[in-house]
Amino acid sequence: MLRDAEVAGRLKDARTLLEIVLLPQLDLQDADGNHSYASFLSQYLLQSRSPEFGDFSGSEPPNLTRALRLLRDRVDYLPPYVAQRRLISISLMFLNILVRHHGAEEEIFGETFAEALEDTMEQIVSVMSMPLRL
């Protein structure tokens, strides 16, 4: 995804960077098609205490580290603790849609998973990129 974004000249585009960080989690399903890792990760993020952007007390894969660095550069107008809080908030938004909505019947939510995902991604871009209010 990073290589494709680089070739397309989209490494400064917030939506592209957020998709690189978040969308790979769509593939993390158990044998029943559930996103149990998303549930675990949600609980982990709720316990995260680091104010440093992208610090989740682990060793992230190099491409994720690069994508997070590019995203941090994109929102360089935010103090680190604000950027980190927003990163956690948008991650929880994304994980919530995976846990609650994916695989559910369309009638339950009144929209398809693709529609819910698109709406959520639009919200995520807005939340992550909005200016800091003083």
Side-chain angles (χ1 to χ4, degrees):
M1 290 175 83
L2 270 171
R3 185 175 39 252
D4 291 345
E6 190 165 18
V7 168
R10 298 187 53 84
L11 288 182
K12 293 186 180 197
D13 177 68
R15 170 76 184 241
T16 299
L17 295 171
L18 288 163
E19 287 177 354
I20 290 168
V21 170
L22 298 171
L23 291 185
Q25 296 175 63
L26 290 172
D27 296 331
L28 301 177
Q29 298 179 27
D30 63 20
D32 297 323
N34 297 314
H35 289 93
S36 53
Y37 182 70
S39 295
F40 166 77
L41 191 52
S42 294
Q43 293 303 312
Y44 179 79
L45 289 175
L46 289 170
Q47 302 302 315
S48 178
R49 299 285 186 248
S50 177
E52 295 300 318
F53 188 81
D55 178 14
F56 299 110
S57 300
S59 61
E60 287 74 26
N63 286 334
L64 178 57
T65 299
R66 181 173 180 221
L68 288 170
R69 185 175 35 80
L70 290 165
L71 182 58
R72 179 65 182 116
D73 291 346
R74 173 64 176 73
V75 294
D76 64 349
Y77 49 87
L78 298 173
Y81 60 91
V82 173
Q84 176 71 347
R85 184 182 63 229
R86 288 187 187 182
L87 180 60
I88 291 171
S89 294
I90 61 107
S91 295
L92 289 169
M93 290 171 67
F94 184 82
L95 295 168
N96 181 60
I97 196 104
L98 290 184
V99 172
R100 295 203 53 205
H101 201 298
H102 193 259
E105 297 294 323
E106 183 177 336
E107 300 82 44
I108 294 173
F109 290 102
E111 62 185 348
T112 66
F113 176 72
E115 291 167 336
L117 180 60
E118 177 58 28
D119 178 62
T120 301
M121 288 303 297
E122 288 295 318
Q123 292 175 54
I124 283 170
V125 172
S126 296
V127 168
M128 191 70 219
S129 302
M130 76 172 79
L132 182 64
R133 288 188 155 175
L134 298 177

